[in-house]
Amino acid sequence: MAASIIFDFDGTLAIGHGPVLAYADEAAAFAGADFRSRVDEALADFDSGDRTYRDGYDIVGSLAAADGVDEDTLSGAYRRSRVKLGTADAPVRTIEDLDGFLAALAPHAELTLATNAPEQSIHQVLDSWGVRERFDAVHFNVGKPLGLVDIARHAYVRGPVLAIGDIVEFDLAPAWAMGADTALVGATAFDSAAPVTMRGSSLADLRDGILNWARAHSASVSSTPLQTKESRLS
């Protein structure tokens, strides 16, 4: 038996609106007047507790769609924005000493990264944080929420699971449906009624709780090579 911790990327490991604003900048050329200022206003409202939208990416996509921007154009804008991930045009940050945190977890649980985002530039960001090799497996283009089911099920048959993310419906619900523990982080953490195991404004608030969970569910965890997987729904 081996415990597993499944991390989301955007909004969980990667903090800040930089990538969302890069997406907005790419979409702005096809949207209506004052698009970027409307995105900025909606992001500020979201951070203040407005739950009209799911997250920043939903804000950009929804406002652009309301301006008549079609799905293909939005997809192209998103892909172009991801090339900029981690640069000055799409800056991200993470919690202090993420590497030390993951290193402390590693003896007690297998660490998985599962994101709906494409692989592009994420490895470079993980490298810049010095944590790329801390993950036993990484999954891109997961297609959450449905795409998370197989990942969580595969982990759950081997032992206890903790899923960590900032969007309940995408990052946590598929895991808790099969009995896993969950940790909700981000702007919605304290106003969500979801029955999560723990919650905090960021991973930094949950360092002790997550480490205590890992220690409590610890089994012998062997070191395995990093596995990169690109998951898509058919």
Side-chain angles (χ1 to χ4, degrees):
M1 298 286 286
S4 299
I5 301 177
I6 303 172
F7 290 90
D8 173 51
F9 184 76
D10 287 281
T12 302
L13 290 175
I15 306 168
H17 290 317
V20 170
L21 295 176
Y23 177 29
D25 288 340
E26 290 292 341
F30 309 97
D34 301 322
F35 177 74
R36 174 60 189 271
S37 64
R38 287 184 281 131
V39 168
D40 290 341
E41 182 179 353
L43 280 172
D45 290 344
F46 179 80
D47 289 340
S48 297
D50 182 356
R51 297 297 169 253
T52 302
Y53 303 100
R54 184 177 59 246
D55 65 355
Y57 294 97
D58 187 36
I59 288 172
V60 175
S62 297
L63 292 180
D67 283 356
V69 182
D70 63 78
E71 186 173 342
D72 286 345
T73 301
L74 271 176
S75 294
Y78 175 73
R79 288 193 300 271
R80 291 191 297 276
S81 74
R82 296 307 287 192
V83 175
K84 303 175 183 178
L85 183 68
T87 71
D89 293 323
V92 289
R93 65 186 190 280
T94 193
I95 65 171
E96 184 177 353
D97 193 21
L98 176 63
D99 182 52
F101 176 50
L102 297 180
L105 292 173
H108 307 289
E110 294 185 355
L111 307 182
T112 295
L113 176 61
T115 174
N116 277 355
E119 184 172 357
Q120 183 133 40
S121 299
I122 290 181
H123 282 311
Q124 291 94 311
V125 172
L126 296 177
D127 282 337
S128 74
W129 295 339
V131 301
R132 181 174 177 182
E133 300 303 321
R134 294 295 183 192
F135 292 97
D136 298 288
V138 294
H139 301 262
F140 302 100
N141 295 303
V142 167
K144 301 177 188 179
L146 291 179
L148 186 60
V149 172
D150 284 344
I151 295 171
R153 182 183 294 119
H154 178 71
Y156 198 64
V157 298
R158 294 181 288 113
V161 173
L162 174 65
I164 305 173
D166 66 311
I167 302 179
V168 169
E169 298 87 344
F170 285 10
D171 305 321
L172 308 183
W176 86 48
M178 60 187 68
D181 289 316
T182 54
L184 177 61
V185 298
T188 69
F190 294 106
D191 56 37
S192 171
V196 298
T197 309
M198 60 186 90
R199 63 184 75 218
S201 59
S202 78
L203 280 176
D205 294 338
L206 300 181
R207 293 179 80 114
D208 290 344
I210 294 169
L211 185 54
N212 288 339
W213 181 95
R215 288 169 173 162
H217 296 88
S218 182
S220 176
V221 178
S222 61
S223 178
T224 56
L226 179 73
Q227 301 176 52
T228 298
K229 298 184 182 296
E230 185 156 338
S231 305
R232 295 187 180 88
L233 292 177
S234 57

